Amino acid sequence: QVQLVESGGGLVQAGGSLRLSCAASGRIFSINGMGWYRQAPGKQRELVAVITRGGSANYASSVKGRFSISRDNAENTVYLQMNSLKPEDTAVYYCNAEIMSSDYYGMDYWGKGTLVTVSS
């Protein structure tokens, strides 16, 4: 059984910072891509940032220059540093990872989400 558990969400004023963490646990052979998505009330889930096992990252244009994704492969953890937060960043943030249970078999997993609220 594989689990992704997010932490670090909360309430912050506009212009502030938060750091999200997501730790994977369970039967893990290796982890390929990891990423963060978000879903605001009444909107579809959208990609925020993704990172490969080798550390190459891509960002949504709305967060580029303000957010930074990183990962610790030894700890099976991905982070999202969010700076200069805006009210429009308010959303539930979800962690995603492609987790291999063997050389040949992998699945996509999602965390349960952590709420980030940015007040104006």
Side-chain angles (χ1 to χ4, degrees), residues 39-60:
Q39 187 166 18
K43 294 189 176 181
Q44 289 189 327
R45 190 174 297 189
E46 63 176 2
L47 181 147
V48 175
V50 292
I51 186 168
T52 66
R53 182 171 179 80
S56 295
N58 281 293
Y59 299 90

Side-chain angles (χ1 to χ4, degrees), residues 2 5 21-22 24 27-28 33 37 39-40 42 53 55-56 73 82:
V2 172
V5 179
S21 300
C22 171
R27 185 181 176 187
I28 299 171
Y37 293 72
Q39 187 166 18
R53 182 171 179 80
S56 295
N73 290 333
M82 305 185 293

Side-chain angles (χ1 to χ4, degrees), residues 69-83:
I69 189 171
S70 60
R71 63 189 284 175
D72 183 333
N73 290 333
E75 297 293 329
N76 293 330
T77 301
V78 63
Y79 305 96
L80 186 68
Q81 178 66 42
M82 305 185 293
N83 299 326

